[in-house]
Amino acid sequence: MEKAMLTFDKVNAHYGKIQALHDVSLHINQGEIVTLIGANGAGKTTTFRMLCGLLAPSGGEIEVVGWDLREAKAEVRAEIGYVAQKFSLYDRLTVEQNLRYFGRSYGFWGPRLTRRVAEAMRGYGLSAYRRMPAKSLPVGAKRDLSIACALLHHPKI
């Protein structure tokens, strides 16, 4: 049996007395695409926050690419590319500055960072917007920049 890229095993989440997740188990293998759907308050955002290491589960275990989320948050974050519904860009920074900022936060410097930024601008059609502040971008270009920033480090998930 193939080792799962992502495993939630009987995960629980509480916000005070409110239970957001109850015994959620999820196993996702490489190459699988999974969609979380549900009404507001169903636990979708809580699940993603846990996956990214931003929120600790109240119970259960989460493993991402072989790392136990409780013990290796930095290692897990290095393996994940996540684009929030509300774009997480720095409005005053240009397209290139946003890409360079995110690249540095993933540990890229010098020529390697320059290559990754150039690759992202070409690959996501952002070259024409290179010097434009993120707040001035058309919505589609903002989406593309958000995706480019999230995938700049070539994450496994």
Side-chain angles (χ1 to χ4, degrees):
M1 184 169 159
E2 186 178 337
K3 180 90 170 137
M5 294 290 284
L6 168 67
T7 301
F8 272 50
D9 190 28
K10 298 183 179 181
V11 173
N12 294 287
H14 295 89
Y15 294 104
K17 293 182 180 182
I18 298 171
Q19 187 161 20
L21 297 178
H22 177 70
D23 285 345
V24 172
S25 292
L26 178 65
H27 303 276
I28 302 172
N29 296 316
Q30 186 169 356
E32 289 183 317
I33 297 172
V34 176
T35 303
L36 298 180
I37 58 173
N40 289 344
K44 300 177 300 291
T45 300
T46 297
T47 301
F48 275 103
R49 285 183 178 159
M50 287 181 177
L51 166 64
C52 294
L54 301 174
L55 181 66
S58 304
E61 296 180 17
I62 301 173
E63 189 177 284
V64 179
V65 199
W67 296 99
D68 181 330
L69 192 59
R70 289 174 300 197
E71 298 170 5
K73 287 185 180 177
E75 290 84 356
V76 167
R77 284 189 194 120
E79 302 291 355
I80 295 173
Y82 175 69
V83 179
Q85 185 172 353
K86 185 178 183 305
F87 305 133
S88 300
L89 301 171
Y90 292 94
D91 282 341
R92 293 184 191 177
L93 297 181
T94 66
V95 167
E96 183 174 11
Q97 289 169 331
N98 265 284
L99 286 165
R100 293 185 73 76
Y101 173 81
F102 281 94
R104 283 191 301 272
S105 71
Y106 292 125
F108 298 114
W109 300 95
R112 189 170 178 216
L113 174 61
T114 300
R115 279 193 306 275
R116 290 286 176 109
V117 168
E119 173 187 284
M121 279 204 264
R122 278 191 313 274
Y124 291 91
L126 296 167
S127 297
Y129 302 111
R130 167 181 251 120
R131 291 185 174 79
M132 187 179 287
K135 68 180 173 189
S136 302
L137 292 172
V139 174
K142 280 185 183 181
R143 181 204 60 230
D144 292 344
L145 177 57
S146 292
I147 294 169
C149 288
L151 301 180
L152 195 66
H153 62 303
H154 298 215
K156 291 180 182 174
I157 296 177

